Amino acid sequence: MTTDFEDIFERMNRFLESAGLSRSLSETMAWAPLADMTETDDAYVIECELPGVKREDIDVEITEHELAITGEITEREREGVLRRRGRPVGRFEYRALLPTDVRADDVEAALSDGVLKVTIPKAKAAKPRHIEIQG
């Protein structure tokens, strides 16, 4: 029975390679983790699912208009032959364009229970301001 599975996997690999999806190409492509972005009056909050990823394996960079969360999940050692993969491995990348100027120096990031939470305060100019009408 084991040889039947190996034969199927080998045929599938040959098919993917003939379709232009070689192993080396698919291994270098980054995948995007699931994430939500919410906006409050004061900040943008991004919650990115990264279960099992260590904080030292995550890089968070921000510019005035873009957030980038990148890193890599390495294949863990296991015994036996992997027959089905449901969890991603390799490089990941999440990017979000921010619609207004932000205070990049005040960004905070925290990793808890496999969720990376990045809080990006808005610049003062981005906040709504009430204007009194003189009369």
Side-chain angles (χ1 to χ4, degrees):
M1 187 112 177
T2 302
T3 56
D4 292 339
F5 283 120
E6 290 171 357
D7 184 48
I8 291 170
F9 285 119
E10 184 59 34
R11 287 183 187 185
M12 189 60 125
N13 284 334
R14 281 194 305 251
F15 171 75
L16 292 174
E17 287 174 4
S18 69
L21 298 173
S22 69
R23 286 185 197 169
S24 61
L25 176 62
S26 63
E27 288 174 1
T28 59
M29 291 173 44
W31 55 273
L34 298 175
D36 292 331
M37 181 166 82
T38 57
E39 180 180 1
T40 67
D41 289 341
D42 299 323
Y44 297 98
V45 179
I46 289 84
E47 293 176 311
C48 187
E49 291 187 18
L50 295 170
V53 181
K54 299 175 191 162
R55 74 183 72 244
E56 58 266 15
D57 294 334
I58 303 170
D59 185 43
V60 179
E61 291 185 7
I62 189 153
T63 64
E64 285 187 16
H65 299 287
E66 184 180 38
L67 168 73
I69 300 170
T70 58
E72 187 166 356
I73 297 177
T74 56
E75 179 73 38
R76 66 181 186 90
E77 289 186 32
R78 58 180 98 231
E79 291 185 27
V81 178
L82 180 64
R83 296 294 183 199
R84 185 174 188 187
R85 178 180 307 282
R87 299 181 295 173
V89 294
R91 289 200 34 77
F92 62 84
E93 179 177 303
Y94 172 82
R95 292 190 177 274
L97 291 176
L98 304 170
T100 60
D101 291 337
V102 297
R103 296 192 333 246
D105 293 337
D106 297 327
V107 173
E108 295 178 356
L111 182 64
S112 177
D113 296 327
V115 177
L116 176 68
K117 182 177 180 180
V118 181
T119 304
I120 307 167
K122 293 179 179 178
K124 296 265 188 231
K127 291 184 184 179
R129 193 176 119 221
H130 181 72
I131 308 296
E132 289 293 325
I133 300 172
Q134 301 296 319

